[in-house]
Amino acid sequence: MKKIRIISLPCDIGTKNVGGRIGSAKAPNLIVHQIKKKLLHTSISSKLSIIIDPPLIPKSKNLQKYHSLITTSLVPLFQDGDIVIALGGSHDLSFG
């Protein structure tokens, strides 16, 4: 059975760097909280292997360093064949 891994990446470094409104780094934890509540009250968790990982990547104030840390942390999960859903803060973590 494939695993679905939900990873929190609480970050709004890019938003802060350009003088935007910060706070989006709080979103991943709020989303994960709602997912956990829903999984407790549904049968979907018995049909799928859903793993909600704690934040794996230490916070960094340098966006390039953070991107590098994310890549080295998540690549092994993809190589294992897992489906990875990464919940970030702002759009500064969107990269391919």
Side-chain angles (χ1 to χ4, degrees):
M1 175 187 303
K2 283 205 181 250
K3 292 180 280 191
I4 298 174
R5 300 186 79 102
I6 301 174
I7 311 289
S8 294
L9 301 171
C11 178
D12 55 9
I13 298 167
T15 305
K16 185 177 181 180
N17 288 349
V18 297
R21 290 188 339 217
I22 59 171
S24 57
K26 297 175 185 174
N29 290 334
L30 296 172
I31 295 168
V32 164
H33 176 73
Q34 291 301 316
I35 291 170
K36 285 181 179 178
K37 278 179 33 179
K38 297 293 181 193
L39 287 176
L40 288 175
H41 302 290
T42 182
S43 62
I44 193 170
S45 57
S46 63
K47 297 175 182 154
L48 295 171
S49 177
I50 299 175
I51 300 165
I52 300 176
D53 289 309
L56 299 172
I57 296 101
K59 290 185 181 179
S60 172
K61 294 185 182 204
N62 179 297
L63 192 55
Q64 289 76 20
K65 181 179 178 185
Y66 199 58
H67 279 184
S68 179
L69 290 168
I70 291 168
T71 301
T72 56
S73 298
L74 296 186
V75 164
L77 301 179
F78 286 107
Q79 290 173 337
D80 288 344
D82 294 349
I83 297 169
V84 179
I85 301 171
L87 302 173
S90 61
H91 64 279
D92 47 338
L93 295 180
S94 301
F95 65 98

